[in-house]
Amino acid sequence: MLALGIALAAGWFALQDEYGRDLGNFRTLVGGMQEAERVTLAHQVYASYRRSDLSQAQRLLERARPYLPPVQEAAGAYGIDTDVLMGVGATESSFLPRDSKDGGRGLFQITAPPKRRWNWPRSVWEWSSWI
């Protein structure tokens, strides 16, 4: 009898509108930072696709196709997820590599490092003059 009462109570709670939100909060609490990052990323992807025009997305995917093999090679060489690199390429240049007004270049809109960075000391003895 007690088990039936508990099952009915659990079923009633599961049917409440707040249950899904509370379950999501519980998953985030238990899953820690990884779960919070996953939820945030999933929300951003959902929001992005909800606003997107499907014909534009199709053109973007067609422009991305020629870049997939070299991006896969680079991802494997540096231990980075291919989808992350493709996402950066889509975000930064929409797979239309070109020079931008702010100094970004190419598919990933890479900018030149600051000049001071190029003049790093070559040995420990030069640090005192560099700082």
Side-chain angles (χ1 to χ4, degrees), residues 17-77:
D17 291 335
E18 298 86 19
Y19 177 77
R21 185 197 58 204
D22 291 341
L23 181 61
N25 291 341
F26 180 71
R27 283 184 187 151
T28 302
L29 178 66
V30 172
M33 186 60 81
Q34 273 187 319
E35 180 65 14
E37 290 172 354
R38 186 195 68 76
V39 168
T40 300
L41 183 61
H43 173 73
Q44 289 172 346
V45 168
Y46 170 75
S48 173
Y49 282 117
R50 190 182 66 205
R51 291 187 306 264
S52 71
D53 176 10
L54 293 180
S55 64
Q56 287 180 347
Q58 184 62 35
R59 287 194 302 272
L60 179 76
L61 291 173
E62 289 169 7
R63 287 193 306 264
R65 192 170 292 125
Y67 297 104
L68 186 57
V71 167
Q72 287 173 328
E73 184 180 334

